[in-house]
Amino acid sequence: RPGKSRPLDPDDIDQIAEEMLQQEEADRAPGLSAEEEAVMEAIELFPTLMGVRAKAANLQFAMEAEDDLPPVWAERIALIRVLDNLLQNAIKYNTPNGYITLRVRSGGDRVVFEVENSGPPIAPAELPRLFEHGYRTADAQQSAAEGRGIGLYSCHQIVAAHQGSIWAESEGGINRFIFTIPAAPEAAGEQAES
């Protein structure tokens, strides 16, 4: 019958609950309580976590982080949420036997985080829209991947609340999601002096 929807299964409920939490987090992002965070401590769980997730999806995962990264001025759980969302998207929108690389480096008075993955190219016209509330690319809408266009919007809100920037690049079957977070004030001064 038209208008009749299928009953929700537990996975649907989990997905809806997760998206509601992301929306709530995005809405409260301007009120984050940031403090000085050691970057390596904040990201130390990702090699193990992503190694398991990537292997389950038949993907390769690597993390490349500079030594002596300056601390950032951030709310740890929010930073982890952004990275986790980008990394989960890299799994979801990848190619068979593809790869994911998380890179972290110093960028002057900021720390630069980059998630790179093999995957279907993103059209240049869609790149600036990826972080809009509810936006999904044409390919994402056609794929079996679940989503409602809230995750990247949430990432944008969290990064903006940290006075950072986030953007995406796509070229030749390689997609990159890059964001910056300011280094902690003392660390930024030390980076500028060296």
Side-chain angles (χ1 to χ4, degrees):
R1 256 181 17 192
K4 186 171 181 174
S5 60
R6 67 176 176 77
L8 291 176
D9 67 30
D11 289 340
D12 292 332
I13 294 168
D14 288 346
Q15 178 72 25
I16 291 167
E18 178 65 22
E19 289 174 358
M20 288 172 65
L21 287 171
Q22 286 179 354
Q23 181 66 50
E24 183 179 311
E25 189 168 82
D27 291 344
R28 80 166 183 87
L32 293 175
S33 59
E35 58 188 26
E36 189 173 298
E37 283 291 341
V39 174
M40 290 310 293
E41 288 178 17
I43 65 172
E44 67 187 354
L45 67 110
F46 286 107
T48 302
L49 178 66
M50 283 302 297
V52 171
R53 287 177 177 170
K55 186 175 182 177
N58 204 26
L59 302 169
Q60 298 295 314
F61 175 77
M63 186 170 93
E64 301 168 3
E66 283 183 358
D67 293 332
D68 301 321
L69 285 165
V72 291
W73 193 249
E75 184 177 288
R76 179 182 293 205
I77 195 71
L79 177 61
I80 290 170
R81 171 66 102 185
V82 171
L83 284 167
D84 190 53
N85 188 284
L86 295 177
L87 290 164
Q88 286 192 55
N89 279 355
I91 290 173
K92 200 184 318 185
Y93 302 107
N94 213 305
T95 54
N97 303 307
Y99 75 93
I100 301 165
T101 304
L102 169 60
R103 293 186 185 93
V104 188
R105 63 181 168 80
S106 179
D109 64 346
R110 301 189 167 272
V111 173
V112 181
F113 299 84
E114 177 182 317
V115 174
E116 178 182 291
N117 66 282
S118 50
I122 303 167
E126 291 186 303
L127 290 170
R129 299 199 59 207
L130 292 174
F131 302 97
E132 292 176 10
H133 185 273
Y135 186 78
R136 294 188 75 212
T137 67
D139 284 345
Q141 292 175 34
Q142 300 297 320
S143 79
E146 297 283 327
R148 289 183 176 78
I150 296 173
L152 290 177
Y153 168 75
S154 178
C155 290
H156 176 269
Q157 295 298 96
I158 292 168
V159 170
H162 284 88
Q163 284 80 51
S165 302
I166 188 168
W167 66 97
E169 301 171 351
S170 182
E171 186 177 346
I174 298 172
N175 300 317
R176 289 181 196 88
F177 286 79
I178 305 160
F179 71 97
T180 64
I181 298 288
E186 287 182 21
E190 291 169 12
Q191 292 286 327
E193 291 172 15
S194 50

